[in-house]
Amino acid sequence: MKLRITAGKLTLEAELRETPTTRALAEALPFEASALTWGEEVYFTTPVSAKLEGDAKQVVDPGTVCFWTEGDALALPYGRTPISTDERPKLAARCNVLGNIVGDARRLAQIRSGEKIRVEKI
C-alpha cells in the first residue's frame, strides 16, 4: 500500500508492507492530525489502535514508517532522537515497522510541531 503524507507544501510518499497494523490504518484513511517532533522524528496520532507485532523494533533506519502502539501514532524518524546511541533513530519504545518513506526522508525536517498533517491512500 502507498500513502501520501502532506504537511503544508511538503508531500511525501510511503510504501507500506502488508501487516495487521497497515490493514487497520488503511481502513481509517484518510485522516488528519497535528504534527509533533522529537529530535529528528515527526510523529502524530492516528484513529487506529494496534497491538505490538512480533517484529517490532526500537532502533530503525532513517525513513522507516513506524507505528507507536503506546501512543496510537505514526512515527517517522529521519535521524537521531534524544535517546539515540549512534546515528540511527532510537524510538521511545518498540514500534511496529510498517514500511519506508520513498526518497529522501530528511525532507521530514521541514515539518514543524503543530503543523497539520493529512494522510491518504494513493
Side-chain angles (χ1 to χ4, degrees), residues 7-98:
K9 295 180 181 175
L10 177 67
T11 299
L12 299 165
E13 285 186 19
E15 183 74 47
L16 304 187
R17 59 193 182 95
E18 184 67 25
T19 72
T21 305
T22 300
R23 285 192 292 277
L25 200 58
E27 292 176 17
L29 295 171
F31 66 86
E32 292 184 351
S34 186
L36 297 165
T37 58
W38 187 57
E40 294 180 316
E41 175 187 307
V42 173
Y43 68 101
F44 48 90
T45 59
T46 73
V48 173
S49 289
K51 295 192 182 314
L52 209 56
E53 295 174 7
D55 63 349
K57 295 182 179 174
Q58 187 172 15
V59 177
V60 296
D61 292 324
T64 303
V65 177
C66 305
F67 189 86
W68 179 37
T69 59
E70 295 172 21
D72 295 336
L74 278 177
L76 308 174
Y78 57 91
R80 292 176 55 87
T81 65
I83 61 171
S84 289
T85 55
D86 58 24
E87 293 308 307
R88 295 178 300 163
K90 184 173 184 179
L91 306 167
R94 287 177 55 220
C95 293
N96 295 338
V97 175
L98 305 185

